[in-house]
Amino acid sequence: MLAEGIRNGFRYKDMEFFSGEYFPLFEAYTNLISCLSERAIKGERHDEFFRHYGRTLSEAALYFSEAIKARYLLSSLFNYPLPLSAQDLLLGRNETLLEYAITEKATYIFVVDSKGVRILKADIKESELKDIVSQLEKWIESFKAGGLFEVTAKRAYDLLLSEALKDIPPDQYIIVVPDSFLGLFPFEALAMEYQKGMKDPLFVADKWTLSYSPSASFLTLIRIKPSIKPSHPLFALGDPVFKTDNSGYKGEGNPQSKKTHDNDKDKECRNAYLSLSRLPWTKKEVLGIAEIMGITPRPPHVLLGANASETNLKKVDLARYRYIHFATHGDTGFCNKEEPLLFLGLKGNKQGDDGLLTFEEIMNMKLNADLVTLSAGSTGDGKIARGEGVLSLGYAFLLAGAKSVVVAHNCPDSQLAAEFMISYYDYLKKGNAKANAIKMARKKMKEKFKTPFYWASFVLWGDNGNPVTLKPLMLLNVKTR
């Protein structure tokens, strides 16, 4: 069914196939992961029956954890649906990968580095862990910190990171491979040190440089994937025109334009879109980034205001750009749509272009980008497909061929997002690795605002830009689409 889906092209709603209900091997694999992990934690190292999957029981357990992560992503991009073995993973000496496997009664944490694989166990039921993450999501989105947030963030740190990072120096890059709902929250906002009344808690972001990956196998394969070097440094879009007032725009091509708007749902959707406010700071953001990258801010490389429409975007060959940047509104569930969306401008669209850049439209793009940055609200959120992860806009851009993507886990203030992004690109331009550039921009923002809402939103998924040395094993016959 997976192969057939890839040939025919999945739609967003078809990803439900990957949930536990429709994935018959999922429960069997999670039970196997649990069994092998428990044996490894007790001190058993080898089992000849599982030797094919790893040199130790820890490696075998990691193999089966990988077997139910990002399967569609691997099959679609690389025609490589099987996971890589632990010894084949491509990590730098200054990188530690933390992979999570959530089971009903416990969560297992695989700590992978140049020394091998070890397994830790968080003794917490899946339902309880989900409640903790849900609380953290709500608090970080509400600007609030102090008291309950830090207490919960400290508990989550103790469960998920404390033991894993105990002996990891701060100059080590940490790559997180979350499982299920763990991909909905930035680990950078977890509190390492907090006591009641503490003025300045110590957060994970204060010490380590983090990035995220849908799976360890994906990270290795994206690093060795042959790619065409883009001919242009930057494409950027910002400050789209949504409203019809003071724009001279009469409304052709607006949402549901192929319909007659005879029902209340269509009218409500259209009116909601037209009521979106413009984001003037996104124009300053794009202009600032263009200046840093040495780009004249004009089409086709830069689309601003009335030019930032879906029709104009489709005229651009995005495969030719190294960095791609969107600064606009984003949403998950707009007008009762299931898939996450980026909002482009309404003005200047041809008939049939509704100004909504959907998950399906993005995943069918062909990109060679080193980095796609989504400076918009909730671009890191989406439906959970069990095993596959969070089906966010970031995931869609990885499917399209981007090596990495920056997403947001809440709706950041437009002005502060612009400041963050200009700072981020400045650090990138100066030669910093992508993950390190985000850490530096985050630190700069945190000097102004202590609350995680302001500095923890943006995170990096995919290749973190840390230079690594390819192993001889990388002669793997990996085919890319």
Side-chain angles (χ1 to χ4, degrees):
M1 183 172 178
L2 176 61
E4 181 182 351
I6 290 170
R7 284 195 303 271
N8 297 333
F10 268 117
R11 292 173 298 173
Y12 187 77
K13 65 184 184 64
D14 295 326
M15 294 287 187
E16 283 294 340
F17 165 73
F18 294 99
S19 69
E21 182 179 356
Y22 298 107
F23 187 10
L25 291 179
F26 189 87
E27 185 174 353
Y29 273 50
T30 53
N31 289 338
L32 182 57
I33 292 165
S34 179
C35 177
L36 292 173
S37 297
E38 291 291 342
R39 291 175 61 187
I41 291 170
K42 289 177 181 178
E44 292 186 53
R45 284 188 56 80
H46 305 290
D47 186 323
E48 288 302 318
F49 184 83
F50 292 101
R51 182 73 73 172
H52 176 72
Y53 305 103
R55 296 165 296 185
T56 64
L57 286 177
S58 295
E59 288 188 357
L62 175 63
Y63 179 91
F64 289 108
S65 175
E66 282 284 292
I68 50 175
K69 279 187 170 61
R71 291 176 70 246
Y72 178 70
L73 196 60
L74 293 174
S75 297
S76 177
L77 276 178
F78 308 109
N79 193 27
Y80 205 90
L82 295 176
L84 299 179
S85 62
Q87 59 187 325
D88 291 341
L89 297 177
L90 181 60
L91 295 174
R93 291 187 177 181
N94 63 339
E95 291 182 328
T96 298
L97 183 141
L98 307 181
E99 177 158 330
Y100 293 81
I102 298 174
T103 68
E104 184 180 357
K105 296 182 179 180
T107 292
Y108 297 96
I109 307 161
F110 300 91
V111 183
V112 188
D113 56 24
S114 57
K115 299 176 183 178
V117 181
R118 61 190 176 99
I119 303 178
L120 304 172
K121 179 182 179 181
D123 253 322
I124 184 170
K125 293 180 180 179
E126 179 180 6
S127 58
E128 295 174 2
L129 183 59
K130 190 172 184 178
D131 286 342
I132 289 175
V133 172
S134 178
Q135 290 175 34
L136 291 173
E137 281 185 278
K138 291 176 182 176
W139 279 323
I140 201 172
E141 289 174 0
S142 66
F143 299 77
K144 295 179 181 178
L148 287 176
F149 175 84
E150 281 83 355
V151 169
T152 307
K154 177 64 167 65
R155 186 185 177 203
Y157 172 80
D158 290 340
L159 286 166
L160 300 173
L161 289 175
S162 177
E163 193 67 24
L165 296 179
K166 185 170 62 174
D167 299 318
I168 306 298
D171 61 350
Q172 194 82 347
Y173 285 87
I174 308 301
I175 302 164
V176 176
V177 178
D179 192 16
S180 186
F181 51 82
L182 288 181
L184 291 170
F185 184 81
F187 279 38
E188 288 89 339
L190 299 184
M192 298 169 56
E193 294 179 9
Y194 177 73
Q195 295 178 351
K196 188 175 181 180
M198 193 174 189
K199 184 178 179 181
D200 295 315
L202 184 66
F203 292 97
V204 170
D206 295 323
K207 187 171 183 179
W208 287 285
T209 304
L210 273 65
S211 63
Y212 300 79
S213 179
S215 77
S217 298
F218 170 82
L219 181 63
T220 293
L221 293 173
I222 201 70
R223 284 178 166 177
I224 65 171
K225 174 187 173 183
S227 58
I228 301 170
K229 187 175 181 179
S231 55
H232 298 295
L234 175 72
F235 167 81
L237 179 150
D239 189 27
V241 176
F242 307 114
K243 295 183 179 181
T244 56
D245 58 337
N246 69 41
S247 67
Y249 179 57
K250 302 302 181 184
E252 67 274 11
N254 59 40
Q256 311 292 334
S257 61
K258 294 181 180 180
K259 300 181 181 179
T260 60
H261 302 290
D262 285 339
N263 62 64
D264 291 338
K265 182 179 177 182
D266 287 343
K267 291 178 181 178
E268 181 183 352
C269 181
R270 176 179 181 273
N271 291 334
Y273 193 177
L274 294 176
S275 69
L276 286 172
S277 60
R278 289 182 66 174
L279 301 168
W281 274 97
T282 62
K283 179 178 180 179
K284 298 178 182 180
E285 176 180 331
V286 168
L287 291 175
I289 293 169
E291 182 178 0
I292 291 169
M293 304 303 294
I295 299 300
T296 302
R298 62 188 181 200
H301 308 311
V302 174
L303 302 180
L304 287 170
N307 286 321
S309 65
E310 181 178 2
T311 295
N312 284 339
L313 176 67
K314 288 180 177 179
K315 295 176 183 177
V316 180
D317 184 3
L318 292 177
R320 301 170 64 193
Y321 293 89
R322 180 184 180 188
Y323 296 123
I324 297 173
H325 187 93
F326 288 92
T328 182
H329 285 293
D331 204 352
T332 55
F334 178 80
C335 289
N336 298 315
K337 289 181 178 288
E338 294 182 359
E339 58 187 318
L341 305 161
L342 274 180
F343 295 91
L344 308 181
L346 285 175
K347 187 173 182 179
N349 280 327
K350 69 179 182 181
Q351 193 71 23
D353 288 341
D354 60 8
L356 303 175
L357 192 59
T358 68
F359 184 99
E360 290 176 26
E361 288 172 325
I362 293 167
M363 66 182 280
N364 289 317
M365 293 176 175
K366 300 293 186 290
L367 304 179
N368 297 302
D370 187 40
L371 173 69
V372 174
T373 301
L374 305 178
S375 182
S378 305
T379 51
D381 298 335
K383 181 167 53 180
I384 302 292
R386 193 67 190 249
E388 196 67 11
V390 181
L391 302 180
S392 67
L393 289 173
Y395 177 100
F397 276 104
L398 292 178
L399 266 174
K403 293 189 71 173
S404 60
V405 57
V406 172
V407 299
H409 279 298
N410 57 43
C411 298
D413 176 273
S414 179
Q415 178 178 348
L416 298 181
E419 292 179 12
F420 183 97
M421 286 299 167
I422 291 171
S423 177
Y424 173 54
Y425 275 86
D426 186 44
Y427 289 125
L428 274 179
K429 184 67 174 177
K430 290 175 180 176
N432 292 283
K434 289 174 278 188
N436 200 43
I438 282 192
K439 182 182 180 182
M440 296 167 77
R442 186 182 290 121
K443 181 180 179 181
K444 189 174 180 180
M445 184 63 68
K446 193 171 182 288
E447 291 173 356
K448 293 183 179 181
F449 304 98
K450 303 298 183 182
T451 305
F453 172 87
Y454 294 103
W455 51 261
S457 177
F458 294 109
V459 300
L460 178 76
W461 281 80
D463 181 27
N464 61 14
N466 180 39
V468 294
T469 303
L470 297 181
K471 304 176 186 177
L473 112 88
M474 295 300 116
L475 298 174
L476 278 168
N477 182 24
V478 177
K479 299 178 181 179
T480 57
R481 71 174 189 179

